[in-house]
Amino acid sequence: MKKENSIDKLFENLVEQFSKIRNFELTQTDPLGNKLFNFVVKLVSEFDSYQKLFVQYYVPASKKSAIAVKKEIKHSKYKKYFHITEEELNENYYETIRLGYVGAYHKYESYIKRLPILMDEFFKELDFDNNFIPIKDYLKKEFDIELRKTIYNFPITYKVNWICNCVKHKDGYPLKEPIPPFFKHLNSSKKIQLESKEFKSDMEELITHNNLILQSFFLIGFYQYLNQEGANKELKPEYQEEGKIEVLKSHLNSTIKMIFSEA
């Protein structure tokens, strides 16, 4: 059986996810929309490659290194002087995974900074009578939500951010306050130890989360559009009926709030 091309699979999965977004066809026909689509494809590809780099290369290399050191000690004529535990031998392996979370969070930070800029460009091209408010500002004004603080609203971004901070500021020990509820069980005297399987799963969840953020930005943009005077004239006839636009706005409002509500 012919091996499935990983790039083809990645691209097809992205198209499937994008197709769920209202007016997805704009990302294929509109220059700005296409620019936005290409940006997301590039970023998701980077995340996918980053995850594979660690899981398929860095992590196995760190394991191999630990085995080699263990073998050297076993056959050393000075082995009686070495009192290294199995856990200590595997420290490079766990350190590699911890560093993986640091890099992943920095990639997410970059995504959150760059995506709103592209989304603003995209929506400014629609007829907003030059009253368009940048996505981040509108999110704060209309919903009292600061985008940079929403990392604590989602378990996956909270987890990745917390591990990153522990590595950067606590030498890998689970001491960064406040400690998330899902990490209360960790021994504070031991550095964080996570397996490569969990890291891989978390990276996949982070990619899914990025898609959610993208979809939420589309919703915010269209919600702002619907609140512009005369916006209903641009809608399909079935949505121009009395009361329909208010129902649509109410639905968008509650959906946006639900997405960013604390888990």
Side-chain angles (χ1 to χ4, degrees), residues 61-74:
S62 64
K63 280 187 174 181
K64 187 176 180 180
S65 173
I67 293 171
V69 171
K70 186 176 180 180
K71 186 177 180 181
E72 288 290 311
I73 292 174
K74 182 179 179 180

Side-chain angles (χ1 to χ4, degrees), residues 145-166:
I145 295 171
E146 289 188 49
L147 184 62
R148 65 184 181 85
K149 293 183 179 180
T150 60
I151 56 170
Y152 305 110
N153 294 11
F154 305 97
I156 185 59
T157 51
Y158 191 3
K159 177 180 180 179
V160 175
N161 171 258
W162 186 76
I163 293 174
C164 173
N165 284 331
C166 285

